[in-house]
Amino acid sequence: SLHPIRKETLYPDDSLQTYYFQKQGIDAQALIASEFDNYQHVDQHTLVIALSQSGETRDVLDAMNSARESGAKIASIVNV
């Protein structure tokens, strides 16, 4: 499964991305970074994509650490 995550203010963009992934048959769920720990379906078969303007957003970094601890694969897109 695929999980794009980012800061809450940009969440509507992720919902649109999730729609397109699901139309292609890819299990995807957009998540707000600060709510990531409440989501229990992350494991070694999961790709988590972090989207951040700075690459230093605390809630995004915390979510990435949590995903890594669960065995998920991590990718990031940063606008620096």
Side-chain angles (χ1 to χ4, degrees):
S1 61
L2 177 87
H3 301 288
I5 64 167
R6 67 169 81 188
K7 200 165 175 58
E8 184 174 354
T9 55
L10 302 172
Y11 181 73
D13 294 338
D14 290 337
S15 296
L16 183 60
Q17 292 170 6
T18 296
Y19 168 79
Y20 287 115
F21 283 125
Q22 290 176 346
K23 291 293 278 184
Q24 298 299 317
I26 299 169
D27 177 27
Q29 175 67 46
L31 300 168
I32 298 169
S34 62
E35 299 295 322
F36 186 80
D37 284 336
N38 298 325
Y39 191 76
Q40 301 299 318
H41 304 290
V42 176
D43 60 20
Q44 69 274 13
H45 303 291
T46 304
L47 172 61
V48 176
I49 302 174
L51 303 161
S52 173
Q53 289 185 347
S54 68
E56 298 176 346
T57 306
R58 179 81 273 159
D59 54 350
V60 174
L61 292 173
D62 290 344
M64 291 295 89
N65 288 332
S66 178
R68 185 177 298 114
E69 290 172 5
S70 297
K73 295 168 190 70
I74 308 291
S76 61
I77 300 171
V78 179
N79 180 22
V80 179

